[in-house]
Amino acid sequence: MRVLPKTDESYPPMLLVRTHYGDDDAWRRVRAALDQPWVFDEADEDEGRLKEVILCVDDPVWAEATPADILAALTAPEDGEEPS
């Protein structure tokens, strides 16, 4: 069963789910690029740099998952909850 890690709902991180396992080097490059601070506006007090929290899911159970599969996992009721 595909399950995503639980997060703090008051400040959820960005979610990156690996769904293709045919190119490990490409995955490492994506991860390295996302690990860099992003520049928005250099006039800001922090020089426009922002480091977002990104939750990377690297589990082969998600191989070939579609956006609909991921959305379904995100919106699935938790154990004991009634479906909405």
Side-chain angles (χ1 to χ4, degrees):
M1 181 163 80
R2 294 175 170 162
V3 178
L4 294 169
K6 300 289 180 216
T7 62
D8 178 2
E9 290 183 27
S10 64
Y11 186 75
M14 292 182 171
L15 178 64
L16 176 66
V17 180
R18 183 177 183 182
T19 60
H20 177 72
Y21 285 82
D23 191 343
D24 290 338
D25 190 48
W27 175 249
R28 283 189 290 276
R29 288 192 312 270
V30 167
R31 295 284 309 267
L34 291 174
D35 200 33
Q36 300 300 312
W38 304 344
V39 176
F40 291 102
D41 181 357
E42 292 183 6
D44 289 346
E45 63 191 44
D46 62 356
E47 297 178 359
R49 296 184 184 282
L50 178 65
K51 178 71 173 87
E52 286 291 332
V53 176
I54 301 173
L55 175 60
C56 293
V57 177
D58 185 358
D59 184 340
V61 71
W62 289 97
E64 305 305 321
T66 66
D69 296 332
I70 296 167
L71 184 58
L74 286 170
T75 58
E78 293 187 28
D79 291 342
E81 280 187 350
E82 291 293 321
S84 51

